[in-house]
Amino acid sequence: MGLAALEAAGLSYSYGYGASVLRDISFCLAPGERVALLGPNGAGKSTLLWCLVGVLRAEGTITVDGTTLRSGTEAEVRAKLGLAFAEPEDQLFMPTLRRDITFGPMAGGTGPEEACRAAELAIRSVGLPEEALDRAPHELSSGERRRAALASILVMNPTVLALDEPTNSLDARGRASLASILRALPCAQLVATHDLEFARALCARALVLADGELVADLPMAALLADTSSLQKYGLLASLRADDEQNDIL
């Protein structure tokens, strides 16, 4: 069996003011695998993503593409595992997209010219023209900002991409465009979302969190066919009945 792109073993985390937010979470992602991370509000999805990049220090073991997260390896792990925030405005903080997207490579020691070439490739990979690099983030639409934020991660060539509610503020066309972009990427993806239609279109496997525990790890088709589990874990209401939206995705 080959090296996992991402492996989490026995992860537990508490904010220190009550019960644990995460309890003994274990799972693996294979290289190139796209997996949905599902669960109701408060289940621990965002907390888990922040633990995976070491912003929150969980008990247990996290290994990304052969590198185990520990003191001294945080930068290496974060170069391999890119986290896309729920709100792209939190990720785009420079006056222009060029400065946002070149920030990571240049912080890692890449020269300005090479960083700009990498930024041009990254911006094209998310379906934006190179001219967008010289625009300010606030001049873009919600969908364009989300794609630009994604480019700021892809420029680092991560092995794993973690996305927190990637369809927030997107209409049907924006959701379809983002799904198409993500399908074309070679990296493994962990997609935390309430949008089951988006998850169904993108991911073949689902992890379900409930009250800080991993309660299911199964094929997406099996989860969607299990109405009782969808109801039990608060997921049924997020399924869209609109067939037209299904066709778009």
Side-chain angles (χ1 to χ4, degrees):
M1 189 166 179
L3 185 71
L6 170 64
E7 183 173 2
L11 297 188
S12 296
Y13 183 78
S14 173
Y15 284 109
Y17 49 75
S20 295
V21 180
L22 300 175
R23 291 184 292 280
D24 196 26
I25 305 292
S26 298
F27 64 91
C28 290
L29 266 65
E33 185 179 21
R34 295 190 299 269
V35 177
L37 179 62
L38 307 174
N41 284 336
K45 300 187 299 297
S46 294
T47 297
L48 176 57
L49 297 186
W50 285 107
C51 287
L52 293 177
V53 294
V55 173
L56 302 177
R57 303 311 293 264
E59 297 178 10
T61 303
I62 297 164
T63 304
V64 183
D65 193 24
T67 300
T68 298
L69 179 64
R70 59 170 66 93
S71 180
T73 67
E74 296 95 340
E76 185 178 357
V77 166
R78 289 168 191 165
K80 293 181 174 184
L81 195 161
L83 173 60
F85 300 165
E87 301 300 333
E89 292 80 3
D90 294 333
Q91 205 136 13
L92 301 172
F93 55 91
M94 290 291 193
T96 66
L97 296 187
R98 185 181 302 276
R99 292 181 63 182
D100 267 314
I101 298 172
T102 58
F103 179 86
M106 291 180 67
T110 301
E113 290 187 8
E114 185 179 349
C116 282
R117 286 194 294 271
E120 290 165 2
L121 290 173
I123 204 76
R124 289 201 301 268
S125 75
V126 298
L128 292 176
E130 288 181 27
E131 291 77 11
L133 287 170
D134 296 311
R135 297 176 66 185
H138 71 265
E139 297 175 347
L140 306 178
S141 69
S142 294
E144 289 171 333
R145 284 195 297 274
R146 190 164 296 280
R147 283 185 279 163
L150 182 59
S152 74
I153 299 168
L154 297 180
V155 73
M156 301 298 292
N157 295 312
T159 304
V160 182
L161 179 62
L163 302 106
D164 194 1
E165 297 295 347
T167 61
N168 276 358
S169 303
L170 295 184
D171 60 14
R173 182 172 295 181
R175 291 165 58 240
S177 176
L178 180 61
S180 178
I181 289 165
L182 294 176
R183 287 190 201 102
L185 298 178
C187 55
Q189 297 166 44
L190 183 62
V191 185
T193 183
H194 287 98
D195 189 338
L196 275 185
E197 294 294 355
F198 184 79
R200 171 162 57 185
L202 187 64
C203 302
R205 177 179 160 213
L207 305 176
V208 181
L209 288 182
D211 296 323
E213 297 183 352
L214 183 61
V215 294
D217 180 350
L218 73 174
M220 179 64 71
L223 174 65
L224 294 174
D226 186 351
T227 302
S228 62
S229 290
L230 291 172
Q231 291 176 326
K232 180 178 179 181
Y233 300 125
L235 301 175
L236 192 60
S238 62
L239 266 177
R240 290 175 167 80
D242 189 336
D243 292 335
E244 181 180 353
Q245 291 205 19
N246 294 346
D247 291 341
I248 290 172
L249 285 174

